[in-house]
Amino acid sequence: MTQKNKTLGEFIIENQEEFKYSSGELSRLINSIRLAAKVVNHEVNKAGLVDILGAVGETNIQGENQQKLDVFANEAFIKTLTNREIVCGIASEEEDDFITITGRNERNENKYVVLIDPLDGSSNIDVNVSVGTIFSIYRRVTPSGEPVTLDDFLQPGNRQVAAGYIVYGTSTMIVYTTGHGVNGFTLNPAIGTYYLSHPNMTFPKTGRIYSVNEGNYVHFPQGIKDYIKYCQKEEGDRPYTSRYIGSLVSDFHRNMIKGGIYIYPNTAKDPNGKLRLLYECNPMAFLAEQAGGKASNGFERILDIQPTELHQRVPFICGSSSMVEKAEAFMQNTID
Ligand code: AHG
Ligand code: MN
Ligand code: MN
């Protein structure tokens, strides 16, 4: 069989032995994410047709307005992951606390914890612009059979066993890594099958796109202001192009294909930035590094940060390695 018509299901089976602690469970876990993604995809695609748009009126723990599709995606992923006897705990951006999952025998014996941002870019739902889902998978650190604790979720990103995202774009794609590179699969909606469309995805070493919400410019740290000025300067291959969708998943996906940098810095108002370390930055950082890119908070590798709380935020600079290094040099004031 050629690479070209390989399905995600076939790919998972063929690559099972690559999983660090192979026993089939991680494959089944990826499979259940694939299934939940189809359900959410179906709902996202008909969002303009049914009365599903608009804020539910609830506010999540971060004080943000929840959209109906956020709630739907959250429930779809939690339900699918709960029913399969693989996951012992789930933490979601949309839930205040983590969820403990006991198997059929009432014991908390499963191996993996999953952390998800069920719907990323939710402000784009109402305007028919790409949104996504982000997931991150770890082995539990507490003994099997005992209830999961916060320690199982507060692991540094470098302990992830798999991570990925789904982008509900002009096509729907799953892009994921198990620590052996990054592969992308595109959904054929006519038959509900994902095909390997983007094998071995890699960030170009450098690029010409910078993605940042420049509306917040005056509040940015001096290093980021200086880097943005550098991007805009007429010199060599600059000025760069500015592209910002407002869905991390979509901005990252484009930058990985074309070469670029995504920045969500800290500001005076939000000293830790906006993005969440566990649901957004760690999985994207793992993917970035597996694709030859980099992810940093300006001073430190994202994957080496020891989390202290579930909904922790962190400044995020991610993308083509030489661009991230340049932005870090501006942040650290080591530019000559
Ligand atoms: P979410 O919809 O899960 O809350 O995430 C939105 C995030 C991220 O996807 C995006 O890049 C960023 O917030 C946009 O923030 P601004 O609107 O402040 O630029
Ligand atoms: Mn998000
Ligand atoms: Mn979200």
Side-chain angles (χ1 to χ4, degrees):
M1 181 171 300
T2 63
Q3 286 280 94
K4 254 205 146 55
N5 53 17
K6 187 175 289 179
T7 68
L8 173 54
E10 289 161 349
F11 183 89
I12 290 172
I13 292 165
E14 279 174 28
N15 291 280
Q16 193 154 300
E17 72 283 357
E18 278 191 351
F19 296 155
K20 239 195 212 152
Y21 315 94
S22 176
S23 59
E25 278 139 307
L26 189 56
S27 303
R28 284 174 50 225
L29 180 43
I30 306 272
N31 257 322
S32 58
I33 288 172
R34 164 178 79 150
L35 177 64
K38 270 191 223 175
V39 174
V40 173
N41 176 63
H42 182 69
E43 207 65 15
V44 167
N45 279 320
K46 66 178 196 197
L49 296 170
V50 290
D51 181 29
I52 200 166
L53 297 177
V56 156
E58 298 160 15
T59 346
N60 70 13
I61 192 172
Q62 348 257 341
E64 295 152 334
N65 231 1
Q66 270 193 18
Q67 309 286 130
K68 278 187 186 172
L69 217 43
D70 292 29
V71 178
F72 180 90
N74 190 42
E75 284 170 5
F77 276 95
I78 290 174
K79 212 189 289 167
T80 313
L81 292 169
T82 304
N83 289 339
R84 282 183 166 66
E85 305 269 330
I86 324 163
V87 171
C88 55
I90 302 173
S92 162
E93 182 198 271
E94 300 295 339
E95 302 283 334
D96 296 356
D97 212 345
F98 63 82
I99 300 167
T100 305
I101 297 168
T102 46
R104 267 190 285 273
N105 62 3
E106 299 301 311
R107 281 167 58 81
N108 192 214
E109 277 177 329
N110 299 325
K111 270 193 202 129
Y112 296 102
V113 295
V114 179
L115 296 96
I116 46 168
D117 177 355
L119 205 84
D120 174 65
S122 40
S123 67
N124 282 323
I125 299 165
D126 288 352
V127 291
N128 210 353
V129 170
S130 300
V131 291
T133 295
I134 309 173
F135 61 91
S136 166
I137 302 172
Y138 296 82
R139 275 172 74 89
R140 68 184 300 171
V141 289
T142 51
S144 169
E146 288 177 20
V148 280
T149 73
L150 200 51
D151 289 344
D152 293 307
F153 298 92
L154 298 185
Q155 302 187 50
N158 57 33
R159 314 226 20 192
Q160 288 172 102
V161 293
Y165 60 80
I166 297 110
V167 55
Y168 311 98
T170 41
S171 310
T172 292
M173 282 189 71
I174 291 190
V175 175
Y176 78 97
T177 182
T178 54
H180 300 272
V182 177
N183 290 285
F185 302 82
T186 302
L187 178 66
N188 176 348
I191 51 172
T193 303
Y194 294 93
Y195 288 95
L196 178 60
S197 51
H198 295 63
N200 293 319
M201 296 180 83
T202 50
F203 265 98
K205 195 172 175 321
T206 190
R208 295 199 54 254
I209 295 173
Y210 71 101
S211 313
V212 61
N213 185 343
E214 276 182 83
N216 298 326
Y217 182 87
V218 292
H219 304 293
F220 288 165
Q222 193 55 45
I224 295 299
K225 285 183 178 169
D226 293 342
Y227 179 69
I228 291 173
K229 284 292 155 232
Y230 166 87
C231 293
Q232 296 170 342
K233 195 170 175 198
E234 189 86 46
E235 195 176 302
D237 62 345
R238 290 168 287 140
Y240 295 157
T241 291
S242 163
R243 289 281 183 275
Y244 189 71
I245 297 170
S247 300
L248 170 63
V249 166
S250 317
D251 281 308
F252 178 99
H253 187 71
R254 182 206 50 241
N255 289 353
M256 178 158 62
I257 291 171
K258 294 195 166 179
I261 185 168
Y262 177 96
I263 305 176
Y264 209 110
N266 50 308
T267 61
K269 192 169 120 275
D270 297 310
N272 298 313
K274 176 185 183 189
L275 300 183
R276 298 82 167 169
L277 175 60
L278 299 182
Y279 314 112
E280 295 171 316
C281 302
N282 271 338
M284 290 316 217
F286 188 25
L287 286 160
E289 289 197 5
Q290 284 295 316
K294 279 197 156 187
S296 156
N297 64 3
F299 300 91
E300 192 183 358
R301 184 181 175 224
I302 292 290
L303 294 180
D304 288 339
I305 297 173
Q306 173 60 54
T308 53
E309 49 185 300
L310 224 39
H311 296 281
Q312 184 171 344
R313 295 170 194 262
V314 71
F316 193 52
I317 304 173
C318 178
S320 292
S321 58
S322 60
M323 297 178 90
V324 173
E325 281 160 15
K326 187 59 110 182
E328 280 180 316
F330 276 103
M331 282 299 280
Q332 296 166 17
N333 210 5
T334 54
I335 209 83
D336 36 56

